[in-house]
């Protein structure tokens, strides 16, 4: 199966290593960064969600109307709008983008972050709400007759939308998480299941858990798997590791100065979400894993979001990504610390290597027959 690459659609140039230089929503930078992804081989970009951040939906529409090929992954938290409203927003954006939308539904791993926008449900209640929300959105996208809904979290009567997605039967649904409740919800409803970068053995365990959850939900298919990393690349191994240590030093310096960073979903102390807890545990057990995985960047941020690095030359990082592809990962998410420069460098130097090697692998497997291909993937 062809590999896909997901980048970040940041609305300003700030990152964990340095403050932004302008407004939270910098139109020119947002477009420049998205265009760099489109011009350098990326398939799609993520418009992330934060309680105080610019609204990702209009930012995504702004980009979709100005670029021709780049696809959009729009993050959305169910607590911020009713599903009838959200389904119309998504369908409209799919129209604007000519069918380039996927929606990433975020349940929310931090009570503190959720309460910033008035969400007081427990984590288990949030997962139940997310599943119901996704089911409603899917039905609105695909139903042309009015219908009623009486659920645990949502109730409405006689609703039918007048705007439908370009994609048929509907846009893709993306979901992430590392807890049993997340596997159950995403295994049931997701087309794409998103994981943060962990050692190969642990990633394989998570993939197995997602597949088991999908089977338990009665699905005959399984979600595609996406894994996210923070690549740190340079022309030589020595230069890459020097860059990696400069990067983590910059993250720690900002933290020591008490500066706000772009990822602040939990207060200081132990994070509530399982994914961050896993990253911290992995970092405590060791700094380096497998071919190129490096954990101090995750440790420095307290396991905040996508934060484990892949360090090395473009060839080393490409081979590390191929190791994950061989596990069954076919969507590779990458984001640097110099958002624009790293997106260009990764697109120029890493993506072509991975695509070429994936094409070779798939051709070899296809030559051995469909049974071999199915067994490996």
């Amino acid at each position: 199966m062809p590999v896909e690459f997901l980048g970040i659609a940041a609305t300003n140039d700030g990152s964990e290593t340095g403050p932004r230089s302008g407004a939270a929503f910098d139109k020119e930078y947002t477009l420049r960064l998205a265009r760099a992804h489109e011009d350098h081989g990326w398939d799609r970009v993520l418009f992330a969600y934060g309680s105080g951040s610019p609204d990702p939906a209009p930012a995504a529409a702004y980009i979709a109307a100005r670029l021709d090929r780049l696809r959009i992954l729009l993050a959305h938290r169910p607590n911020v709008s009713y599903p009838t409203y959200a389904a119309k927003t998504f369908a409209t954006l799919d129209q604007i983008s000519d069918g380039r939308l996927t929606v990433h539904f975020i349940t929310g791993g931090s009570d503190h972050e959720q309460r910033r926008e008035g969400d007081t449900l427990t984590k288990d209640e949030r997962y139940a709400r997310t599943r119901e929300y996704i089911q409603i959105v899917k039905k609105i996208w695909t139903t042309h007759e009015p219908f009623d809904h009486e659920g645990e979290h949502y109730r409405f009567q006689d609703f039918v939308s007048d705007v439908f997605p370009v994609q048929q039967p509907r846009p893709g649904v993306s979901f992430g998480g590392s807890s049993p409740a997340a596997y159950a919800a995403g295994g049931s409803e997701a087309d794409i299941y998103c994981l943060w970068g962990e050692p190969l053995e642990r990633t394989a365990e998570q993939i197995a858990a997602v597949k088991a959850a999908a089977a338990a939900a009665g699905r005959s298919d399984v979600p595609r798997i996406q894994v996210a990393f923070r690549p740190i690349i340079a022309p030589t191994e020595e230069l890459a590791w020097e860059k990696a240590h400069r990067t983590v030093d910059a993250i720690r310096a900002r933290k020591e100065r008490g500066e706000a960073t772009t990822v602040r979903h939990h207060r200081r102390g132990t994070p509530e979400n399982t994914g961050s807890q896993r990253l911290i545990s992995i970092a405590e057990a060791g700094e380096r894993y497998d071919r190129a995985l490096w954990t101090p960047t995750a440790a420095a941020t307290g396991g905040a979001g996508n934060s484990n690095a892949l360090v090395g030359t473009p060839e080393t990082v490409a081979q590390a990504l191929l190791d994950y592809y061989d596990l069954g990962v076919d969507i590779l998410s990458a984001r640097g610390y110099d958002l624009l420069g790293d997106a260009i460098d990764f697109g120029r130097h890493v993506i072509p290597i991975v695509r070429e090697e994936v094409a070779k692998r798939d051709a070899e497997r296809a030559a051995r027959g469909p049974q071999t291909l199915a067994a490996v993937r």
Side-chain angles (χ1 to χ4, degrees):
M1 180 181 292
V3 68
E4 293 185 10
F5 288 91
L6 169 70
I8 190 70
T11 59
N12 60 71
D13 61 357
S15 79
E16 294 90 336
T17 58
R20 68 179 189 240
S21 61
F25 181 50
D26 180 335
K27 285 199 306 181
E28 289 71 22
Y29 182 84
T30 302
L31 180 57
R32 187 181 176 194
L33 180 60
R35 185 167 284 137
H37 282 85
E38 182 169 86
D39 291 345
H40 291 89
W42 298 79
D43 296 287
R44 71 182 80 205
V45 289
L46 167 66
F47 285 83
Y49 189 92
S51 59
S53 302
D55 189 342
Y62 171 73
I63 293 303
R66 286 161 177 80
L67 300 181
D68 298 323
R69 300 183 305 278
L70 194 67
R71 285 177 274 164
I72 293 163
L73 179 60
L74 178 69
H76 180 76
R77 288 184 187 165
N79 60 291
V80 301
S81 68
Y82 214 71
T84 50
Y85 176 87
K88 295 185 297 180
T89 299
F90 304 147
T92 303
L93 183 51
D94 200 52
Q95 291 281 346
I96 292 170
S97 67
D98 295 321
R100 287 178 281 148
L101 176 70
T102 299
V103 183
H104 180 67
F105 290 92
I106 303 173
T107 297
S110 163
D111 291 346
H112 176 66
E113 170 68 4
Q114 294 300 120
R115 287 170 183 164
R116 284 171 166 162
E117 295 187 283
D119 186 8
T120 59
L121 296 186
T122 66
K123 188 174 181 180
D124 286 346
E125 289 171 336
R126 292 199 296 268
Y127 274 113
R129 177 182 61 191
T130 299
R131 291 182 73 166
E132 184 179 346
Y133 196 99
I134 294 173
Q135 290 165 358
I136 293 169
V137 168
K138 287 179 178 177
K139 188 169 183 178
I140 291 171
W141 280 341
T142 57
T143 301
H144 292 259
E145 298 296 330
F147 69 95
D148 300 343
H149 179 82
E150 290 288 334
E152 181 181 358
H153 297 280
Y154 301 104
R155 296 173 179 81
F156 54 84
Q157 292 80 42
D158 201 39
F159 181 81
V160 63
S161 178
D162 195 33
V163 56
F164 291 91
V166 171
Q167 298 176 77
Q168 293 298 314
R170 57 173 177 78
V173 167
S174 172
F175 190 90
S178 297
S179 67
Y183 299 145
S188 172
E189 300 297 335
D191 303 300
I192 298 170
Y193 200 98
C194 306
L195 303 169
W196 289 333
E198 296 187 3
L200 291 164
E201 182 179 1
R202 291 187 177 226
T203 300
E205 292 169 356
Q206 292 207 80
I207 293 172
V210 173
K211 289 181 177 180
R219 292 178 60 169
S220 58
D221 63 338
V222 295
R224 299 175 64 194
I225 303 296
Q226 172 185 304
V227 177
F229 303 96
R230 306 299 293 271
I232 300 174
I233 62 173
T236 69
E237 295 291 330
E238 181 180 6
L239 290 173
W241 284 104
E242 289 177 0
K243 183 178 178 181
H245 288 290
R246 288 197 306 272
T247 297
V248 81
D249 286 346
I251 295 171
R252 290 168 178 161
R254 291 200 72 197
K255 187 175 181 180
E256 289 171 2
R257 292 194 297 268
E259 295 180 8
T261 65
T262 57
V263 181
R264 292 187 62 187
H265 295 331
H266 57 75
R267 292 177 171 177
R268 290 188 177 183
T270 302
E272 299 168 22
N273 63 305
T274 303
S276 292
Q277 292 171 7
R278 288 174 66 99
L279 294 185
I280 292 171
S281 174
I282 291 165
E284 289 174 344
E287 288 193 357
R288 296 180 66 168
Y289 291 85
D290 304 319
R291 194 186 300 266
L293 191 72
W294 195 56
T295 65
T297 47
T301 63
N306 170 24
S307 50
N308 268 339
L310 292 175
V311 182
T313 63
E315 293 77 12
T316 295
V317 170
Q319 291 301 322
L321 292 170
L322 287 162
D323 291 339
Y324 287 89
Y325 178 80
D326 290 338
L327 286 182
V329 176
D330 61 18
I331 303 176
L332 299 169
S333 174
R335 173 164 58 103
Y337 292 94
D338 171 9
L339 299 178
L340 180 60
D342 288 345
I344 293 170
D345 286 346
F346 188 88
R348 283 177 175 167
H349 303 299
V350 178
I351 289 178
I353 298 174
V354 176
R355 289 200 193 280
E356 181 178 357
E357 290 299 320
V358 165
K360 289 179 182 178
R361 280 165 162 77
D362 287 351
E364 291 169 358
R365 290 166 184 161
R368 293 197 295 268
Q371 295 294 332
T372 302
L373 184 60
V376 175
R377 304 295 299 150

